[in-house]
Amino acid sequence: MAARSVIALVSVAEVVAKDLADHLDRRGHDVRQARQPWEAETLLSAGGIDIVVVGDEVTQAEGRELLRRYSSQGGGGEDGPDFILICRPRDLVDKVLALELGAADVIESPLNVRELAARIGGLLMRRGRAAGELIVLENATVDLRSAMVMHRSGAEEQLSPGQVALLKLFLASPRKVLTRDDIIAAAPAENADAFDRSIDSRIVRLRRKLDTETITTIRGAGYRFDPPLSRNE
């Protein structure tokens, strides 16, 4: 199993840090926190950090010093972490300076936790770290690696192991009718009740959790997954 990516949160406002840490942890990342810049010095000196998120509670001078000493573009070298700085609105000079000093990204506060997590994911991909297996449906996006359903409303739901197995079966056989026997063999129920009548209930629960119409019932035959059309189709 690949090692978990390590994300450091430095002087990020407590309410944001809690939500962000929970969000990243659910997606399989290891989150470490430093409340003060001097704590960040100890944390970053130990190495092994992939991404550093610096909150706007850090002074401009402290943020620039962290960038100079530890970023992949500064003293940290190729193995150094990438930095994302949170800045206050309209601080254009600070944003430009941060980028010139090697920050990988700058985001204004107040921020959206999911947007920040997406930016972190993009940087991890650039670093060659495993990205989530994202499946985009009509009303939700599914991260198969973390078994998380992210609805457009912002709500999130966890898929059970059996639901992940069932969804993967449909994804592997797009536009193909799967019989009940196919489903029982490839994605067995999570308990002993794997009779035909339980398959209907499993499909209904999966459809409801994904908020999708892409899994259709083919009367007398089974079920079929029809991937949603992309915007270019």
Side-chain angles (χ1 to χ4, degrees):
M1 179 180 296
R4 288 161 63 99
S5 301
V6 181
I7 317 298
L9 308 182
V10 177
S11 298
V12 176
E14 187 173 350
V15 63
V16 174
K18 182 181 185 304
D19 289 345
L20 181 59
D22 289 345
H23 192 89
L24 294 172
D25 182 70
R26 290 197 300 270
R27 279 151 184 76
H29 304 304
D30 183 5
V31 180
R32 302 174 188 176
Q33 298 191 48
R35 300 298 182 189
Q36 301 295 331
W38 65 265
E39 294 177 312
E41 297 273 351
T42 302
L43 179 60
L44 298 179
S45 295
I49 307 294
D50 293 295
I51 307 291
V52 180
V53 179
V54 180
D56 59 10
E57 295 183 355
V58 170
T59 67
Q60 299 172 25
E62 289 168 336
R64 289 195 291 268
E65 184 62 19
L66 290 175
L67 275 170
R68 287 195 187 97
R69 294 184 61 184
Y70 299 106
S71 77
S72 57
Q73 303 299 315
E78 292 184 1
D79 294 329
D82 287 325
F83 275 67
I84 298 177
L85 269 64
I86 301 171
C87 73
R88 303 183 198 282
R90 298 182 296 279
D91 284 348
L92 178 60
V93 173
D94 291 342
K95 293 172 67 173
V96 172
L97 280 174
L99 293 169
E100 288 179 343
L101 287 171
D105 200 356
V106 179
I107 185 170
E108 291 186 354
S109 61
L111 54 85
N112 180 282
V113 167
R114 284 177 63 172
E115 178 188 354
L116 180 52
R119 290 175 184 246
I120 290 171
L123 290 177
L124 289 173
M125 289 179 63
R126 282 169 43 185
R127 294 174 68 89
R129 304 292 286 176
E133 300 175 65
L134 299 180
I135 310 300
V136 180
L137 300 173
E138 312 99 299
N139 302 305
T141 299
V142 184
D143 185 339
L144 283 178
R145 190 179 64 177
S146 62
M148 187 72 64
V149 183
M150 298 165 281
H151 295 278
R152 287 188 177 181
S153 65
E156 296 183 345
E157 292 186 81
Q158 194 79 37
L159 292 174
S160 69
Q163 289 174 328
V164 171
L166 185 55
L167 178 56
K168 285 184 174 180
L169 175 60
F170 282 119
L171 293 171
S173 308
R175 301 184 179 87
K176 175 183 176 182
V177 176
L178 299 176
T179 67
R180 286 174 170 78
D181 287 340
D182 291 332
I183 294 172
I184 291 172
E190 294 169 75
N191 54 51
D193 183 15
F195 297 109
D196 278 2
R197 65 177 179 271
S198 76
I199 300 297
D200 295 324
S201 298
R202 291 179 64 196
I203 298 296
V204 168
R205 288 195 294 270
L206 182 62
R207 280 196 196 115
R208 185 180 299 126
K209 186 167 284 190
L210 299 179
D211 191 13
T212 185
E213 299 296 330
T214 58
I215 302 172
T216 56
T217 302
I218 308 302
R219 187 180 297 275
Y223 306 90
R224 186 182 68 215
F225 171 64
D226 296 306
L229 296 176
S230 69
R231 293 182 179 179
N232 296 324
E233 292 181 289

